[in-house]
Amino acid sequence: MKEFLIDKNEENKRLDKFLKTVLPKANDSFIYKMLRKKNIKLNDKKAEGNEKLLIGDVVKIYFSDETFSMFASDTVEKVNEYEKAYKTLRNINVVYEDNDLLIVNKPINVLSQKAKDDDISVNEWLIGYLISNKCITIEGLNTYHPSILNRLDKNTTGLLIGAKTYKASRVVSTLIKEKKIRKFYKTTVKGVLKEDKLLEGYLSKDSKTNKVKIYSKEPKGMDCSYIKTKVTPLHVLEDKTICEVELFTGKTHQIRAHLASIGHPILGDPKYGDQAFNKKYNKYTQDLTAYRLEFPDECEIESLRKLVVKL
């Protein structure tokens, strides 16, 4: 028999969803069959599977060790991967941390999340960090995996949000989806910008070239996404301007392509930039940093209300 005490990471999860994390190799029909036969109980009582879990609840699974192992996840290999990522990505700095959330400064040439199975990303680093600092246990990974909630291009540096708890993952993911977290970037662009610009347009992506194109009006018959970007000049330095960019819609290469479309490409951008301008300043990776996050006044997690994190 295996016994699981519900903590804050499992709070408010449905029982059946919780069981799928504990027994990922079991299909739904098997799980519901075990519930009906009382081989799985909630607080020593028969359960349907749709119950919302509370802190302190006890889930008991009456399987033999052999049967449990057959359906449970093997975390040993994954833990080795997380520990390797934590040791490898030593240049990741923690900018903000509380009981629910971790915000880090992602360096250049580091992935936010994996693109391939053998990649090392900040997502794996996060779990390795939390294990190393005893914020989570290896056993806890069977029911909840901390994760990075936003993404930055590999060559873009700056702030990434990591959820330490299931509650934070749910709450912050909703805030991001509803565009309630304000995201600001700092960049250097070609040319002189003297006034704020609110840019709107439509973006289409060519998956073959991994490049996007910006249109001022929505083209007919094309699969395009609406984009909105605000650019605020901060300092003019000869033939370039340091700007703050607020991102209202987060599409692939949006800032880089949008600025290039108005004649102000980002310094160092190899894909959308001005190569002569890049060569002049010997800069060949985009000068773009996600440097400030502003959380809304109203938030289910009290510590995040009106929170501002800045590099």
Side-chain angles (χ1 to χ4, degrees):
M1 188 269 288
K2 303 292 182 182
E3 181 175 305
F4 297 87
L5 178 65
I6 301 304
D7 62 18
K8 63 181 180 180
N9 284 330
E10 286 80 46
E11 184 183 14
N12 290 323
K13 276 188 182 179
R14 278 174 50 125
L15 174 59
D16 52 2
K17 301 297 183 185
F18 170 80
L19 292 171
K20 280 298 293 181
T21 60
V22 175
L23 305 167
K25 298 175 185 177
N27 58 38
D28 291 347
S29 62
F30 176 79
I31 288 175
Y32 286 115
K33 180 180 179 181
M34 294 299 100
L35 285 166
R36 289 194 301 272
K37 296 181 71 173
K38 300 182 184 179
N39 287 333
I40 300 174
K41 292 183 178 181
L42 175 62
N43 298 325
D44 291 322
K45 296 179 181 178
K46 182 180 179 181
E48 299 297 326
N50 59 357
E51 295 85 354
K52 285 289 186 72
L53 297 175
L54 302 174
I55 293 176
D57 282 348
V58 176
V59 177
K60 293 181 180 179
I61 302 177
Y62 293 89
F63 293 178
S64 67
D65 289 343
E66 182 179 2
T67 301
F68 185 86
S69 298
M70 186 187 306
F71 295 107
S73 62
D74 180 8
T75 61
V76 175
E77 185 177 341
K78 284 291 185 182
V79 169
N80 291 337
E81 178 185 346
Y82 303 142
E83 291 176 343
K84 177 183 176 182
Y86 179 57
K87 291 177 182 178
T88 302
L89 302 178
R90 281 297 187 182
N91 54 344
I92 294 178
N93 295 319
V94 177
V95 180
Y96 172 86
E97 185 172 4
D98 62 24
N99 291 332
D100 293 288
L101 214 63
L102 188 77
I103 299 179
V104 302
N105 182 12
K106 184 188 83 68
I108 196 167
N109 291 327
V110 174
L111 292 168
S112 303
Q113 297 179 345
K114 280 185 174 190
K116 305 187 300 293
D117 287 343
D118 57 351
D119 284 338
I120 295 177
S121 76
V122 182
N123 205 68
E124 290 73 54
W125 175 93
L126 170 67
I127 301 175
Y129 169 89
L130 295 175
I131 292 172
S132 177
N133 287 277
K134 303 188 186 314
C135 299
I136 60 173
T137 63
I138 294 173
E139 292 76 17
L141 293 174
N142 285 322
T143 58
Y144 172 69
H145 268 68
S147 61
I148 295 297
L149 303 179
N150 61 322
R151 294 193 182 197
L152 297 174
D153 288 345
K154 183 178 180 180
N155 293 327
T156 298
T157 61
L159 300 174
L160 285 176
I161 305 170
K164 296 169 69 174
T165 64
Y166 172 73
K167 181 178 181 180
S169 178
R170 175 178 57 80
V171 170
V172 176
S173 293
T174 299
L175 291 176
I176 291 172
K177 184 178 181 179
E178 295 177 350
K179 300 179 174 58
K180 291 182 178 179
I181 298 177
R182 298 181 71 185
K183 296 175 284 186
F184 297 86
Y185 294 70
K186 190 173 282 187
T187 186
T188 303
V189 302
K190 178 184 177 182
V192 175
L193 266 172
K194 294 184 177 180
E195 297 179 347
D196 294 2
K197 290 184 177 292
L198 184 62
L199 309 176
E200 297 180 87
Y202 294 86
L203 177 150
S204 67
K205 180 180 179 181
D206 186 336
S207 57
K208 292 181 179 179
T209 62
N210 192 30
K211 197 169 181 179
V212 304
K213 190 171 182 179
I214 308 294
Y215 300 90
S216 57
K217 296 182 179 180
E218 185 173 12
K220 293 182 179 180
M222 290 186 64
D223 184 16
C224 292
S225 300
Y226 169 76
I227 56 172
K228 184 177 180 181
T229 314
K230 183 181 180 182
V231 185
T232 302
L234 302 176
H235 304 289
V236 175
L237 303 169
E238 297 181 357
D239 61 345
K240 59 184 185 291
T241 305
I242 298 174
C243 302
E244 177 184 85
V245 179
E246 182 173 6
L247 199 60
F248 295 96
T249 55
K251 301 301 180 183
T252 302
H253 301 172
Q254 178 180 325
I255 295 175
R256 298 163 63 189
H258 223 166
L259 286 166
S261 73
I262 61 167
H264 294 286
I266 291 175
L267 174 63
D269 190 341
K271 185 164 286 191
Y272 303 97
D274 183 311
Q275 303 314 313
F277 182 62
N278 296 344
K279 184 176 181 180
K280 176 181 177 180
Y281 289 99
N282 193 33
K283 178 74 172 174
Y284 300 100
T285 54
Q286 65 248 25
D287 186 352
L288 183 62
T289 299
Y291 89 111
R292 189 165 90 247
L293 293 169
E294 296 183 1
F295 288 77
D297 295 351
E298 296 182 2
C299 180
E300 187 178 333
I301 300 176
E302 186 175 356
S303 63
L304 302 184
R305 295 171 192 166
K306 300 183 180 180
L307 175 67
V308 177
V309 180
K310 183 178 179 181
L311 289 176

